[in-house]
């Protein structure tokens, strides 16, 4: 898949569908020649794209690098654009002239030190080593290509082979210089309860993009951007997308320059970051994924979904059905005791729910959100028989038992804080800014990490826990670590994330059979980094069906349904006050890892019976819903409805979900054109028995019922008729 042609000095990374070509300009500068749909060979014409600067005329005189497409640009030697790397040498200067030293083509994919990354047993990796002769700083660029997914993983490792320390002020993970900037830029932005909404804008000269300095990948934006070629749509046209495998502050930006070329880059947020690299030390930057789709945004999403399922998520639940869960949070909030929980669990079991999750409030003396984080011992007032007693009774009902924890935090009103007031992130002498009455533990410190691993492990053992919801409910302010010298304080944001990955990894390795779901005040840290560790993440605290249509639609651009925790909750909805039918709430929750978050005791018998049926339905279709090829059909951002479908790999089964927002009188039935089906097959709706040809569904579509009342959903479970069976 990866070849090097010594004559043209080109590296060609290609699978059956995509090519990525790098050329060593003047034998020493890695230039970006091509990325896109597969090309068989490197033509004269492609090479002459760089013809103004052939090897003979190439020199640093006349600043050719300022106008050339590069793989690892640095500012200020001959390129005047912002680059991927910026350093400070011992003499205070920042020049960095990185030239080719060697390369290697490896089978497989090396893991990244301290950071989560995709697996690549079946992949190939190109390692390009560049060196700055003056300082001895060496940079390893890694490019991994898989056979089965149209994505290239890139990462950067810096090694200080000089004798003096170097300060890294900026280390981004990937850069692509596009020959032209005639793209629209798509990014995801939002807020708590309104996460990951898509925004599209044309590129213009200058800088544009998204970034965060909150210490988390954040609800406000996502480490992702896509560039849409003119005319690219949901289903067709060329789209280039970038995503970062990282859970901390990041930047993802595009710079459009004098020639109307576009430089896309992403990586760790440089603002507030620096890292001292002593002689002999290495720094590993997170992995970035570069996706090229010739099938529009839909094709891009299906590539990312495939990457997640085949190469990112791990553990016993990564490819399998997930238990249907009930979480007591919106049912009880902090107001519960063992009796109340057991009553809810019994009702849940009776309607076919598999997993009971005990949320916040089980430890210390936490009756509100203002105490006890850090004290991971059960509150015997609420749970007189402890976690073990509760869990045994739930297991005896035939259900699994899950537990909420927020390991990264400490409440000032806690035993932990009183014992170790310096363990939180803070600046001595300044106000310890609280959010939700809590402070953030300093995960850069080994003793803090050890405490968390032990305390959480003991709680999971006592509770015989099968599932963990790992929450994180505030962003970081007043950055300061008592474990770092003055010159290294700006390493804290990245060291925090490294500490987080270490802590999570240690806990997960101790409990390999447990299903872990990450959470951050809803979807405030929803990124590929955490998905390497935990195969599920709570998508949003907003459980309103229509809001979830919007949130899950935006989220699906990058993430498959299997990773999106989605629950049916009570009406009126606790976040919006809106009421929508039970079936609608369930149909929308089926767009993710399905569960409930309401007091079943308050529901009429008819609704409990409906929930029983819904659970049977989810169990029967879950593999398809979670892992099928996902197609967005109608955007809730551009109209009054939303629709999506999942199709099995053999195209013999599909589930189509459609939601109308506001009912409108006097309207004709509408048609919903489907995707991904086999035109040669006939499909029967398993619920109504109606039959259509796949060709008809692809070109004309399904006729939708005109809704009576607001927020109505329809779902079609299409199953191909056996070959030869008549379609009448
Ligand atoms: C966060 C989570 C919620 C719930 C609460 C508990 O907000 O997103 O689902 O667990 O914390 O405090």
């Amino acid at each position: 898949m990866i070849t090097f042609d010594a004559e043209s000095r080109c590296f060609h990374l290609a699978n059956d569908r995509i090519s990525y070509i790098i050329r060593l300009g003047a034998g020493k500068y890695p230039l970006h020649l091509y990325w896109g749909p597969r090309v068989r060979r490197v033509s004269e014409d492609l090479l002459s794209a760089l013809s103004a600067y052939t090897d003979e005329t190439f020199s640093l005189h006349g600043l050719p690098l300022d106008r050339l497409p590069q793989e690892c640009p640095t500012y200020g030697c001959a390129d005047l654009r912002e680059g991927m790397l910026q350093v400070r040498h011992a003499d205070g200067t920042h020049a960095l002239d990185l030239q080719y030293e060697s390369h290697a083509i490896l089978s497989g994919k090396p893991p990244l030190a301290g950071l989560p990354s995709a697996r690549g047993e079946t992949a190939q990796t190109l390692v390009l080593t560049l060196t700055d002769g003056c300082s001895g700083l060496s940079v390893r660029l890694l490019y991994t290509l898989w056979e089965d997914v149209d994505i290239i993983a890139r990462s950067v490792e810096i090694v200080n082979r000089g004798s003096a320390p170097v300060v890294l002020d900026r280390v981004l993970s990937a850069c692509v210089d596009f020959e032209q900037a005639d793209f629209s830029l798509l990014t995801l932005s939002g807020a708590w309860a309104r996460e990951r909404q898509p925004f599209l804008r044309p590129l213009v000269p200058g800088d544009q993009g998204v970034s965060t300095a909150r210490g988390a990948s954040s609800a406000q934006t996502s480490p992702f951007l896509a560039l849409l070629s003119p005319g690219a749509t949901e289903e067709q046209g060329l789209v280039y997308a970038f995503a970062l495998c990282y859970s901390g502050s990041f930047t993802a930006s595009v710079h459009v320059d004098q020639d109307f070329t576009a430089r896309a880059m992403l990586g760790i947020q440089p603002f507030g970051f620096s890292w001292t690299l002593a002689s002999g030390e290495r720094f590993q930057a997170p992995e970035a994924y570069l996706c090229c789709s010739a099938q529009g945004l839909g094709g891009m999403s299906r590539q990312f979904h495939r990457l997640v399922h085949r190469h990112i998520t791990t553990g016993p639940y990564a490819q399998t059905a997930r238990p249907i869960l009930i979480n007591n949070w919106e049912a009880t909030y902090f107001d519960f005791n063992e009796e109340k929980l057991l009553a809810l669990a019994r009702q849940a079991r009776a309607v076919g729910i598999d997993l009971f999750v005990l949320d916040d409030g089980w430890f210390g003396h936490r009756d509100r959100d203002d105490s006890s984080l850090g004290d991971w011992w059960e509150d015997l007032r609420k749970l007189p028989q402890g976690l073990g007693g509760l869990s045994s009774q739930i297991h005896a009902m035939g259900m699994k038992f899950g537990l909420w924890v927020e390991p990264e935090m400490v409440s000032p009103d806690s035993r932990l804080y009183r014992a170790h007031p310096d363990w939180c992130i803070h600046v001595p002498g300044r106000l310890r800014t609280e959010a939700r009455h809590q402070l953030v533990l300093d995960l850069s410190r080994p003793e803090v990490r050890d405490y968390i691993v032990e305390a959480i492990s003991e709680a999971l053992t006592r509770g015989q826990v099968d599932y963990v919801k790992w929450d994180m409910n505030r962003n970081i302010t007043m950055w300061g670590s008592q474990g770092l010298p003055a010159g290294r304080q700006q390493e804290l944001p990245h060291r925090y994330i490294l500490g987080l990955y270490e802590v999570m990894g240690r806990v997960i390795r101790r409990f390999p059979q447990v299903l872990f779901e990450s959470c951050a005040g809803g979807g405030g840290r929803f990124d590929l980094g955490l998905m390497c560790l935990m195969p599920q993440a709570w998508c949003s605290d907003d459980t309103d069906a229509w809001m979830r249509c919007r949130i899950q639609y935006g989220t699906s651009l990058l993430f498959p349904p299997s990773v999106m925790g989605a629950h049916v909750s009570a009406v009126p909805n606790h976040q919006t006050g809106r009421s929508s039918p039970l079936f609608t709430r369930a149909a929308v929750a089926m767009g993710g890892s399905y569960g409930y978050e309401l007091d079943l005791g308050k529901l009429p018998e008819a609704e409990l019976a409906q929930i029983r049926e819904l659970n049977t339905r989810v169990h029967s279709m879950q593999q398809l819903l979670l892992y099928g090829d996902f197609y967005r059909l109608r955007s809730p951002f551009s109209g009054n409805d939303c629709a999506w479908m999942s199709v099995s790999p053999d195209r013999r089964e599909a589930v189509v979900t459609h939601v109308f927002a506001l009912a409108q009188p006097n309207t004709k039935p509408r048609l919903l054109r489907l995707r991904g089906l086999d035109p040669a097959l006939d499909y029967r709706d398993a619920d109504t028995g109606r039959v259509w040809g796949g060709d008809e569904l692809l070109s004309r579509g399904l006729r939708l019922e005109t809704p009576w009342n607001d927020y109505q959903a329809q779902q079609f479970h299409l199953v191909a008729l056996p070959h030869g069976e008549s379609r009448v």
Side-chain angles (χ1 to χ4, degrees), residues 217-297:
S217 47
S218 89
Q220 285 68 19
T221 185
S222 289
F224 160 81
L225 64 82
L227 295 170
L228 281 68
S229 303
T233 63
E234 179 62 29
E235 287 303 327
Q236 54 200 7
L238 211 50
V239 173
Y240 294 93
F242 298 77
L244 193 65
C245 188
Y246 190 59
S247 310
S249 300
F250 70 89
T251 175
S253 69
V254 185
H255 177 75
V256 177
D257 204 52
Q258 55 187 338
D259 298 319
F260 209 60
T261 54
R263 169 169 287 180
M265 298 193 289
L266 78 172
I268 293 176
Q269 167 67 273
F271 171 76
F273 165 87
S274 75
W275 192 281
T276 302
L277 206 60
S279 172
E281 284 184 348
R282 293 164 179 266
F283 180 85
Q284 176 65 61
E287 184 159 276
Y289 304 110
L290 281 57
C291 173
C292 169
S293 158
Q295 283 84 41
L297 289 171

Side-chain angles (χ1 to χ4, degrees), residues 428-503:
R430 292 188 185 272
L431 181 73
R432 299 183 176 200
T433 31
E434 293 175 21
R436 214 191 187 211
H437 310 286
Q438 63 200 53
L439 297 161
V440 185
L441 289 170
D442 181 355
L443 267 56
S444 73
R445 295 175 64 173
E447 63 275 37
V448 176
R449 298 199 294 272
D450 289 347
Y451 171 80
I452 295 175
V453 171
E454 292 312 321
I456 297 299
S457 300
E458 282 170 26
L460 302 191
T461 304
R462 284 198 310 278
Q464 304 154 54
V465 162
D466 307 295
Y467 160 104
V468 171
K469 177 175 172 188
W470 184 302
D471 207 346
M472 188 283 289
N473 274 312
R474 65 158 291 184
N475 291 138
I476 303 176
T477 48
M478 287 291 175
W479 289 97
S481 170
Q482 298 313 289
L484 293 171
R488 287 189 179 265
Q489 287 293 333
Q490 301 232 336
E491 297 179 10
L492 183 56
H494 184 56
R495 285 191 183 275
Y496 179 88
I497 296 296
L498 292 176
L500 173 68
Y501 291 142
E502 184 205 295
V503 166

Side-chain angles (χ1 to χ4, degrees), residues 257-581:
D257 204 52
Q258 55 187 338
D259 298 319
F260 209 60
T261 54
R263 169 169 287 180
M265 298 193 289
L266 78 172
I268 293 176
Q269 167 67 273
F271 171 76
F273 165 87
S274 75
W275 192 281
T276 302
L277 206 60
S279 172
E281 284 184 348
R282 293 164 179 266
F283 180 85
Q284 176 65 61
E287 184 159 276
Y289 304 110
L290 281 57
C291 173
C292 169
S293 158
Q295 283 84 41
L297 289 171
M300 170 201 80
S301 299
R302 287 184 289 280
Q303 291 301 326
F304 277 121
H305 295 187
R306 187 174 295 181
L307 177 81
V308 169
H309 287 145
R310 299 199 181 170
H311 306 298
I312 297 257
T313 48
T314 53
Y317 290 95
Q319 317 271 340
T320 56
R322 309 285 166 87
I324 297 179
L325 68 79
I326 184 158
N327 179 304
N328 75 310
W329 179 240
E330 289 195 11
T332 66
Y333 294 103
F334 291 105
D335 180 19
F336 61 81
N337 55 30
E338 188 185 86
E339 200 185 323
K340 224 176 184 179
L341 297 176
L342 288 173
L344 184 57
R346 253 178 247 114
Q347 286 152 344
R349 191 59 201 147
V351 294
I353 291 173
D354 311 304
L355 162 65
F356 181 87
V357 180
L358 172 56
D359 209 278
D360 195 357
W362 59 267
F363 50 93
H365 56 276
R366 191 160 162 95
D367 295 328
R368 292 182 303 273
D369 64 8
D370 60 358
S371 85
S372 305
L373 291 168
D375 297 347
W376 301 109
W377 299 279
E378 41 278 60
D379 180 348
L380 296 176
R381 293 172 308 157
K382 294 182 189 173
L383 304 176
Q385 306 179 69
L387 280 177
L390 175 69
S391 151
S392 307
Q393 294 180 76
I394 286 174
H395 284 143
M397 291 177 204
M399 289 176 99
K400 291 179 186 296
F401 177 65
L403 194 65
W404 177 98
V405 288
E406 196 179 357
E408 299 156 65
M409 299 292 155
V410 62
S411 306
D413 177 10
S414 66
R415 283 201 263 163
L416 179 66
Y417 187 77
R418 283 187 283 275
H420 299 286
D422 64 322
W423 274 15
C424 64
I425 291 180
H426 72 283
V427 180
R430 292 188 185 272
L431 181 73
R432 299 183 176 200
T433 31
E434 293 175 21
R436 214 191 187 211
H437 310 286
Q438 63 200 53
L439 297 161
V440 185
L441 289 170
D442 181 355
L443 267 56
S444 73
R445 295 175 64 173
E447 63 275 37
V448 176
R449 298 199 294 272
D450 289 347
Y451 171 80
I452 295 175
V453 171
E454 292 312 321
I456 297 299
S457 300
E458 282 170 26
L460 302 191
T461 304
R462 284 198 310 278
Q464 304 154 54
V465 162
D466 307 295
Y467 160 104
V468 171
K469 177 175 172 188
W470 184 302
D471 207 346
M472 188 283 289
N473 274 312
R474 65 158 291 184
N475 291 138
I476 303 176
T477 48
M478 287 291 175
W479 289 97
S481 170
Q482 298 313 289
L484 293 171
R488 287 189 179 265
Q489 287 293 333
Q490 301 232 336
E491 297 179 10
L492 183 56
H494 184 56
R495 285 191 183 275
Y496 179 88
I497 296 296
L498 292 176
L500 173 68
Y501 291 142
E502 184 205 295
V503 166
M504 284 182 163
R506 284 165 65 187
V507 173
I508 291 167
R509 279 193 298 279
R510 284 195 192 181
F511 299 92
Q513 297 311 318
V514 167
L515 171 58
F516 284 87
E517 174 158 355
S518 74
C519 173
R525 204 169 54 184
F526 203 100
D527 57 70
L528 293 165
L530 286 192
M531 265 143 222
C532 292
L533 293 148
M534 303 189 176
Q536 225 166 274
W538 182 225
C539 203
S540 174
D541 276 347
D542 196 333
T543 54
D544 171 75
W546 182 246
M547 280 305 294
R548 270 304 185 109
C549 282
R550 293 164 66 92
I551 294 165
Q552 291 173 199
Y553 184 96
T555 305
S556 77
L557 281 162
L558 191 52
F559 302 101
S562 67
V563 304
M564 298 184 214
H567 299 172
V568 175
S569 63
V571 287
N573 177 268
H574 292 194
Q575 292 78 37
T576 61
R578 191 163 20 232
S579 290
S580 42

